[in-house]
Amino acid sequence: MIFHGRKTNHFSSISASSDQHGPPQDSSFPGGESFFRNTLSAMENVYLDRNPTAKRILELVHSYENDHICYDHFAFRTFGVNDHGIDSIARFFMDFGYVQREELRFPAKKLKAYWFSPPTEARADTGAGVNGPLPRIFISQLLVDQMTSEAQKIIRKYTGMSGNGYRHSALASALGCLTWETPSFSEFQQLARESEYAAWTLVNGYALNHVTVSAHRLKSHLRKINNLNKFIEENGFRLNSEGGILKVSPDGLLLQSSTVADSSSFDFSEGITESIPRCYIEFAERLVLPQFKNLAEDKVEEFHRRDGFEVGNADKIFESTSKDQLSRKAA
């Protein structure tokens, strides 16, 4: 099911477009599309600067395909406290026509998330990257009230420093800077012991957590995600092995994989420089929905395919920034 309202109390693990039997209704892009895409490009530049693995993989696939690469979705992490949660970054996207869809819950990680579908616009089927079909947006938040009092104190301290910084989350993401002061290494370590998600968000803020390549939009045999995974591993890159390299939704229609996050140096407030986890790149293949299985391949469009997200897959993808994955040796 897909929920078209701004708010919903329905908690679901799957969002498939099985109830959608035709193309999305045309709508004009609200606001300045060039401005919006330039902002996405700035976010992407920060992401690529921090994630050389993604940059090299994108270059490899580009050179092999000799064709454009499209993004399935962009993902962000937030703190669900002091107005710094999902709404803080979602507001920017909804101002430009994105629509809030389903909520996903991750009780063991003390997280919740929403995904947002893009507006239809004139250039939906042309261009590449941030100038191609607009990506879905996936935004998660830490349920801070469920953390220990010590962790809550740290998170509230830094989000409190930010003041109204949550209103400028998109700008912070595009600039690659925090809306609060530089954290201390001791507090980073304390958060990491309780929640690696919390520690990641403390030092990375609103920066893009990952971008996802739409595998099925590729033109060569790499459009099959198993072939793409093999290609990536043969070129020396590590894929997240949590729950297996390939993450498959229960309906078998959403296939996902991701690299292990890159790390880079971070200067903490005490003057200590340490390596921290940064970003990773994901790959998704959305298969054709059962009611459209008899369509000729050249007639299949994005709305004929599995939409939305899956809790089980996403839960394993979150592990791309975990210490266990970062310390795992290449196979």
Side-chain angles (χ1 to χ4, degrees):
M1 296 177 67
I2 289 181
F3 293 84
H4 296 274
R6 185 176 174 84
K7 297 286 185 183
T8 176
N9 293 320
H10 182 85
F11 300 159
S12 175
S13 64
I14 298 178
S15 176
S17 57
S18 56
D19 59 346
Q20 183 173 315
H21 298 284
Q25 296 298 307
D26 289 336
S27 63
S28 59
F29 190 92
E33 184 176 348
S34 294
F35 169 77
F36 179 78
R37 289 184 183 272
N38 283 333
T39 304
L40 290 188
S41 179
M43 293 175 175
E44 179 193 42
N45 286 339
V46 170
Y47 164 82
L48 292 174
D49 284 344
R50 294 180 178 181
N51 189 6
T53 291
K55 190 172 184 178
R56 292 198 297 271
I57 287 174
L58 287 171
E59 289 170 350
L60 270 172
V61 176
H62 268 298
S63 64
Y64 188 88
E65 282 279 318
N66 193 28
D67 201 88
H68 65 264
I69 291 176
C70 299
Y71 289 136
D72 180 88
H73 66 271
F74 280 10
F76 300 85
R77 296 181 176 185
T78 68
F79 286 132
V81 68
N82 293 342
D83 296 316
H84 283 72
I86 291 169
D87 287 349
S88 61
I89 188 76
R91 190 175 298 113
F92 171 75
F93 292 98
M94 295 181 81
D95 280 348
F96 287 92
Y98 275 75
V99 177
Q100 180 175 300
R101 302 301 186 181
E102 278 190 314
E103 182 184 72
L104 298 90
R105 288 272 178 167
F106 306 86
K109 288 184 167 65
K110 300 181 174 67
L111 304 175
K112 77 171 184 178
Y114 278 100
W115 73 277
F116 300 78
S117 60
T120 57
E121 38 20 88
R123 301 191 317 194
D125 295 316
T126 61
V130 296
N131 292 310
L134 289 173
R136 299 166 183 83
I137 299 298
F138 182 94
I139 310 173
S140 57
Q141 72 176 35
L142 182 71
L143 301 174
V144 177
D145 289 345
Q146 296 182 17
M147 305 293 287
T148 64
S149 57
E150 293 80 5
Q152 287 192 45
K153 184 177 179 181
I154 294 170
I155 294 167
R156 291 178 186 277
K157 169 186 171 181
Y158 285 98
T159 54
M161 285 181 186
S162 174
N164 291 330
Y166 65 90
R167 295 179 179 174
H168 311 292
S169 56
L171 177 61
S173 181
L175 293 175
C177 61
L178 299 173
T179 61
W180 45 79
E181 297 304 314
T182 304
S184 73
F185 184 55
S186 61
E187 289 170 317
F188 169 77
Q189 287 182 305
Q190 188 173 346
L191 280 188
R193 285 191 287 270
E194 186 171 339
S195 166
E196 290 178 319
Y197 180 106
W200 189 96
T201 306
L202 182 69
V203 291
N204 289 285
Y206 289 106
L208 262 177
N209 175 255
H210 66 271
V211 305
T212 300
V213 171
S214 180
H216 56 269
R217 289 181 183 265
L218 299 174
K219 303 301 181 185
S220 72
H221 76 290
L222 297 183
R223 67 197 312 269
K224 295 298 182 182
I225 197 168
N226 281 323
N227 294 335
L228 182 57
N229 289 340
K230 183 179 178 182
F231 175 76
I232 290 165
E233 290 188 311
E234 286 176 345
N235 278 279
F237 299 103
R238 282 187 299 155
L239 292 174
N240 172 356
S241 62
E242 184 71 21
I245 295 297
L246 186 66
K247 286 71 167 154
V248 183
S249 62
D251 62 9
L253 299 177
L254 177 60
L255 314 178
Q256 294 168 275
S257 62
S258 63
T259 63
V260 174
D262 281 341
S263 298
S264 67
S265 295
F266 185 88
D267 297 325
F268 289 92
S269 62
E270 305 98 325
I272 298 171
T273 299
E274 291 287 342
S275 180
I276 63 166
R278 289 296 194 178
C279 320
Y280 57 95
I281 188 167
E282 184 187 328
F283 316 95
E285 181 181 356
R286 297 179 181 273
L287 302 185
V288 175
L289 292 164
Q291 63 266 39
F292 302 121
K293 64 182 180 180
N294 294 324
L295 272 180
E297 188 171 344
D298 62 351
K299 300 297 183 184
V300 173
E301 298 184 44
E302 193 71 4
F303 69 86
H304 294 126
R305 297 181 181 274
R306 165 66 145 88
D307 205 357
F309 292 83
E310 162 59 39
V311 162
N313 287 17
D315 186 71
K316 304 301 186 294
I317 296 290
F318 275 126
E319 295 297 315
S320 292
T321 59
S322 72
K323 184 177 180 180
D324 286 347
Q325 288 296 317
L326 266 64
S327 60
R328 180 174 60 83
K329 300 295 183 183

